[in-house]
Amino acid sequence: KAGVTQTPRYLIKTRGQQVTLSCSPISGHRSVSWYQQTPGQGLQFLFEYFSETQRNKGNFPGRFSGRQFSNSRSEMNVSTLELGDSALYLCASSSARTGGRGSWVQEAFFGQGTRLTVV
Amino acid sequence: SQQGEEDPQALSIQEGENATMNCSYKTSINNLQWYRQNSGRGLVHLILIRSNEREKHSGRLRVTLDTSKKSSSLLITASRAADTASYFCATDAIASGGSYIPTFGRGTSLIVHP
């Protein structure tokens, strides 16, 4: 079974630009979550999509957005990039959604991440 | 602020020794998970322990959960150089609006010297 695939692996962008990252989950998984990892803040939850709907959202500004397609592939977009957006962006897929009582009892499978550098 | 906080931040041991990492969290949880991350790469799931469980084993890994103290520990026995990585605990913290979001600690960096 193929794992979670994130593209591209590395990206360098200039301040003010926008960027789109892609995540292909494990076949059959309908939940895709996105995380930002930085040395200072650690792993921060961005949002989760389940069956093309955003179900949960972390505490990030509106410049961070995402979507999920009918085949469960997900994209994350960051507009008007800032230097502080430099980070490793990880996506994780799961067979269960994260929201709701008694949720998140399934393990999440992570991709290798996209290393974004904003200069 | 982080829901889970690992302790110690860094741990350096010799191959063959045991490594113990601790995680403390603030709010009640349904379950807690431990992940490993090799340098700059994705996270690998190690073990999930539910709130009604006290101990769980997986190979050389032993996880305990004490909900009264809001803490968990991860023990790696007979460590190997390949265990060198960062280890994170993650809990399902309640977000505003009542839904659960996964929340990770800052991690323990483990170095195992051959």
Side-chain angles (χ1 to χ4, degrees):
Chain A
K1 195 187 238 189
V4 179
T5 303
Q6 289 188 249
T7 57
R9 289 292 310 279
Y10 303 92
L11 206 50
I12 299 175
K13 289 286 188 178
T14 305
R15 265 186 308 176
Q17 287 187 313
Q18 74 162 11
V19 67
T20 299
L21 311 181
S22 179
C23 173
S24 294
I26 290 172
S27 177
H29 284 188
R30 294 164 68 186
S31 169
V32 174
S33 298
W34 287 89
Y35 297 81
Q36 180 196 66
Q37 186 177 29
T38 60
Q41 296 298 318
L43 265 160
Q44 302 280 322
F45 173 77
L46 280 155
F47 30 65
E48 183 231 358
Y49 285 86
F50 184 85
S51 294
E52 302 179 63
T53 302
Q54 186 182 90
R55 293 294 190 177
N56 281 311
K57 191 176 190 301
N59 190 27
F60 276 82
R63 299 185 297 107
F64 292 82
S65 63
R67 59 178 175 168
Q68 186 179 34
F69 302 95
S70 58
N71 60 358
S72 293
R73 188 177 71 85
S74 177
E75 287 183 347
M76 190 193 89
N77 184 274
V78 187
S79 62
T80 319
L81 284 166
E82 301 176 359
L83 295 179
D85 297 333
S86 294
L88 179 67
Y89 289 88
L90 295 163
C91 91
S93 81
S94 168
S95 57
R97 55 171 294 204
T98 55
R101 186 175 177 79
S103 67
W104 211 49
V105 293
Q106 303 280 348
E107 65 179 280
F109 294 84
F110 282 79
Q112 294 296 299
T114 293
R115 173 74 63 183
L116 172 65
T117 302
V118 182
V119 297
Chain B
S1 64
Q2 300 294 114
Q3 158 74 330
E5 293 291 344
E6 290 89 347
D7 171 63
Q9 288 189 332
L11 185 59
S12 180
I13 60 174
Q14 295 295 129
E15 214 167 28
E17 294 181 338
N18 295 342
T20 299
M21 289 158 265
N22 303 296
C23 169
S24 59
Y25 55 92
K26 298 172 184 173
T27 63
S28 60
I29 61 172
N30 287 314
N31 59 71
L32 183 146
Q33 303 189 39
W34 284 91
Y35 286 83
R36 183 188 76 223
Q37 183 180 37
N38 291 88
S39 181
R41 302 178 70 101
L43 280 73
V44 174
H45 181 266
L46 295 176
I47 201 161
L48 179 152
I49 186 165
R50 301 182 196 281
S51 59
N52 60 355
E53 298 175 311
R54 291 296 167 258
E55 189 172 309
K56 211 161 179 182
H57 296 255
S58 177
R60 294 183 297 112
L61 307 179
R62 173 179 166 247
V63 168
T64 61
L65 179 64
D66 187 335
T67 52
S68 66
K69 294 181 179 177
K70 291 186 170 58
S71 68
S72 173
S73 68
L74 170 66
L75 168 67
I76 303 174
T77 60
S79 62
R80 306 166 182 168
D83 294 328
T84 295
S86 291
Y87 292 82
F88 296 87
C89 69
T91 60
D92 51 349
I94 297 178
S96 61
S99 62
Y100 289 85
I101 64 169
T103 309
F104 288 77
R106 294 187 185 277
T108 291
S109 176
L110 172 66
I111 297 175
V112 181
H113 299 279

